[in-house]
Amino acid sequence: MEVKIIGGHGGVTRNYHATSYLVDEELLIDAGSVAAGLDIQDQLKIDHILISHAHLDHTKDLAFICDNCFGLKGKPFEVYTHPTVRKAIKDHLFNDTIWPDFSILPTPDKPTITFNDLENEKEIILGKYKIMPIHVAHPGDAMGFIVTKGEKSILFTQDTGPTDRIWEIGRTRKDLVAIFSEVSFPNRMQNIADLSDHHTPASIGAELLKMPKDVPVYLGHLKPNYQEELLQEIADLAEPRVHALYADDVRFNF
Ligand SMILES: [Zn+2]
Ligand SMILES: [Zn+2]
């Protein structure tokens, strides 16, 4: 499986884009920068979109891919997410005030985007992929995902504070080849990280002990204003299996 980091950050600046990971150019995980970071012809190749939670840095480009690809795709973007997240996106983004309701445009029976509900720990199959959604510790019924294709699985927590269940399930997966998780704030901001259900290098360091052993760990969602500090503190963990997603528009093959 290839994972392209379209945007791997927890914020937006000229150089850094919000969270969107693309698996094999067809399965999108979060939509923080999929419109800003891909050409329209590549946006059109995406059929299935997993949304971890409703926060804007994971959803805002749903608005712009619908606008870009309107009338060009021949079938809707199929979004899969928790019902709480679906409701938030429909009520607050595609609500005909902030943005047109592309779930009924151009017509209700041929929309640009369709929403499908995920249930916690109920596996679904999307084409070549098996997806296991698992609740993590972040507001609004946020979920992480274990994505399996053939004999390999990749675990994506997306935004979360300290959590247990996804690691418990991850430890049973002998086919796990990579873990993508997050670190948002430097250690001096542990209080903010705790209040907002995010990690610092110190708390992800403790979390590593719960993760499946010997699997490489990629940490994204660095807040752009703290990137340098975060990189130093991640290096100070001295964990050879940990890699920081300091740059966007990079690809990893597993
Ligand atoms: Zn986020
Ligand atoms: Zn969030």
Side-chain angles (χ1 to χ4, degrees):
M1 274 186 278
E2 179 189 86
V3 179
K4 177 183 165 85
I5 309 300
I6 302 170
H9 284 79
V12 181
T13 69
R14 183 165 69 87
N15 293 319
Y16 300 127
H17 291 293
T19 303
S20 275
Y21 300 158
L22 186 60
V23 178
D24 299 334
E25 301 195 326
E26 57 183 300
L27 173 67
L28 183 72
I29 304 177
D30 287 337
S33 55
V34 59
L38 289 185
D39 292 330
I40 290 177
Q41 69 210 42
D42 292 327
Q43 296 170 28
L44 286 165
K45 290 181 195 162
I46 296 168
D47 286 332
H48 300 126
I49 303 175
L50 306 175
I51 296 289
S52 64
H53 66 301
H55 283 161
L56 212 52
D57 56 323
H58 301 254
T59 57
K60 69 180 176 61
D61 272 14
L62 289 175
F64 301 108
I65 54 167
C66 286
D67 199 32
N68 288 339
C69 301
F70 182 78
L72 296 177
K73 194 168 156 56
K75 55 183 175 178
F77 291 112
E78 296 280 352
V79 172
Y80 294 81
T81 194
H82 191 278
T84 303
V85 179
R86 182 242 306 150
K87 184 172 186 316
I89 294 169
K90 294 197 77 171
D91 287 354
H92 302 297
L93 184 59
F94 292 110
N95 61 2
D96 281 329
T97 299
I98 296 292
W99 207 244
D101 183 1
F102 280 101
S103 70
I104 55 167
L105 292 172
T107 63
D109 57 329
K110 289 200 169 161
T112 309
I113 190 167
T114 299
F115 290 87
N116 305 273
D117 288 347
L118 290 177
E119 205 177 318
N120 188 36
E121 297 184 28
K122 279 274 163 61
E123 193 167 72
I124 62 162
I125 294 176
L126 300 178
K128 302 185 274 264
Y129 305 93
K130 278 194 264 182
I131 316 292
M132 173 67 96
I134 303 158
H135 273 312
V136 292
H138 198 70
D141 283 320
M143 289 173 146
F145 308 103
I146 299 177
V147 176
T148 304
K149 185 175 82 168
E151 305 194 330
K152 292 178 178 175
S153 291
I154 302 177
L155 186 156
F156 299 87
T157 70
Q158 308 309 85
D159 289 12
T160 187
T163 189
D164 291 314
R165 183 61 180 153
I166 199 165
W167 304 131
E168 199 176 300
I169 294 175
R171 289 193 301 268
T172 69
R173 298 296 189 99
K174 300 305 168 207
D175 61 352
L176 211 57
V177 292
I179 292 168
F180 285 81
S181 192
E182 71 121 288
V183 62
S184 300
F185 295 103
N187 291 334
R188 66 185 165 83
M189 298 177 72
Q190 187 66 55
N191 186 41
I192 303 287
D194 292 343
L195 289 170
S196 57
D197 291 306
H198 283 297
H199 277 296
T200 63
S203 68
I204 203 75
E207 202 78 350
L208 282 171
L209 303 173
K210 298 188 241 170
M211 294 183 195
K213 290 190 191 341
D214 304 325
V215 179
V217 177
Y218 297 83
L219 298 177
H221 208 265
L222 283 69
K223 295 281 182 186
N225 32 350
Y226 310 120
Q227 166 131 333
E228 294 310 314
E229 208 175 344
L230 282 165
L231 291 179
Q232 184 57 55
E233 291 178 354
I234 293 166
D236 290 345
L237 291 174
E239 288 278 359
R241 70 163 164 156
V242 170
H243 310 276
L245 299 177
Y246 57 87
D248 297 331
D249 199 18
V250 293
R251 295 163 194 261
F252 300 94
N253 275 289
F254 302 103

